[in-house]
Amino acid sequence: MKIWVLAGLPAVMMLGCGQPKPDIKAEGEKVMQTSRDWAKVTATGDVEKIVNYWTDDAVLMEPGRPTLSGKKEIRQMVEGSFKIPGFKITWEPQSVQVSSDGDMAYLIEKTQVTMNDSTGKANTQHYNGVTVWRKQPDGSWKDAVDIASN
Amino acid sequence: MKIWVLAGLPAVMMLGCGQPKPDIKAEGEKVMQTSRDWAKVTATGDVEKIVNYWTDDAVLMEPGRPTLSGKKEIRQMVEGSFKIPGFKITWEPQSVQVSSDGDMAYLIEKTQVTMNDSTGKANTQHYNGVTVWRKQPDGSWKDAVDIASN
């Protein structure tokens, strides 16, 4: 009986701990790749697909604009942006950190925004950014906080 | 024997899981309070105490300035700021989110920076900010990412 109890320990421990320990490195790469995929989707101008990368309660802070809270306000901003002549936005994640349980992460990012100036000439601005991500029940990652500084 | 095994289960489960589940609400309040304490310490101008709230590898992004990485660059910036006539900075955390294991958190903050303009008159600027915090081995929280947007 004692041997049976000992042999049963690992299974009991896994049961007690719920999920297995996450692969932090793999999750970090997944967040980086999600950000890159998002930039590609953004280049297509598909508003619904773009907005879907944010959590429902996401907060967005951009220089010179009031803080946007929630998907409705963010969708309006995205739609409005694509109406600006010459508007283009792209970014590249620079680094990632994931919490030890693999359910929260942040990226340091570099962002470029291009739009036409009053003479119709393309003007590109560069921003530093931080995005904070939360893992979703289906294993995907969504952006909960989005802040850019110029 | 069976009863003994069942009675022993909770202890085995705790052993298997390492640390007990963190109190996310309490940790969140602790991060908020650390941010408030930091603002108070900052008002005293004690550079070493101020700098100690950042992690060694902290990243700081402020509008119109290059990204600062690590404590040395951040300390220089703090020292330089206190030499600016009329310089004052304060902030208030607005909300907190903590990862489920209680080792990463982020705050949404509102920051005010005051300095004298060229006529010697106090001029206050308002910023939105995000800080990302990592729990330290001693249970304290330190700021790993600090970004402000105007």
Side-chain angles (χ1 to χ4, degrees), chain A residues 1-2 4-5 9 12-13 15-18 57 59 61-67 97-106 108-110 128-130 132 134 144-150, chain B residues 1-2 4-5 9 12-13 15-18 57 59 61-67 97-106 108-110 128-130 132 134 144-150:
Chain A
M1 186 60 175
K2 200 174 182 183
W4 180 88
V5 171
L9 264 179
V12 169
M13 283 160 70
L15 189 77
C17 295
D57 62 350
V59 174
M61 286 169 268
E62 298 195 339
R65 286 212 281 213
T67 299
Q97 289 278 338
V98 182
S99 66
S100 64
D101 60 352
D103 85 330
M104 186 183 282
Y106 61 88
I108 308 285
E109 300 187 312
K110 295 265 183 201
N128 292 310
V130 173
V132 187
R134 292 205 309 257
V145 178
D146 208 317
I147 178 166
S149 186
N150 56 354
Chain B
M1 188 60 173
K2 199 175 183 184
W4 181 88
V5 171
L9 264 180
V12 170
M13 283 161 70
L15 189 77
C17 294
D57 62 350
V59 174
M61 285 169 269
E62 298 196 339
R65 287 211 280 212
T67 299
Q97 289 278 338
V98 182
S99 66
S100 63
D101 60 352
D103 85 331
M104 187 183 281
Y106 62 87
I108 308 286
E109 300 186 312
K110 295 265 184 202
N128 293 310
V130 173
V132 186
R134 293 204 309 257
V145 177
D146 208 317
I147 179 167
S149 186
N150 55 355

Side-chain angles (χ1 to χ4, degrees), chain A residues 79-147:
Chain A
E79 286 169 346
S81 296
F82 283 112
K83 287 178 187 152
I84 298 169
F87 176 81
K88 273 190 293 186
I89 181 169
T90 192
W91 60 86
E92 180 63 36
Q94 308 289 303
S95 65
V96 64
Q97 289 278 338
V98 182
S99 66
S100 64
D101 60 352
D103 85 330
M104 186 183 282
Y106 61 88
L107 294 177
I108 308 285
E109 300 187 312
K110 295 265 183 201
T111 299
Q112 288 179 44
V113 179
T114 303
M115 51 185 86
N116 293 351
D117 66 16
S118 56
T119 69
K121 205 181 139 197
N123 181 283
T124 299
Q125 299 280 332
H126 297 264
Y127 300 90
N128 292 310
V130 173
T131 48
V132 187
W133 299 69
R134 292 205 309 257
K135 197 173 183 178
Q136 304 301 301
D138 68 356
S140 69
W141 286 86
K142 291 200 179 191
D143 178 19
V145 178
D146 208 317
I147 178 166

Side-chain angles (χ1 to χ4, degrees), chain B residues 30 135-142:
Chain B
K30 198 169 167 184
K135 198 173 183 177
Q136 304 301 301
D138 68 356
S140 69
W141 286 86
K142 290 200 179 191

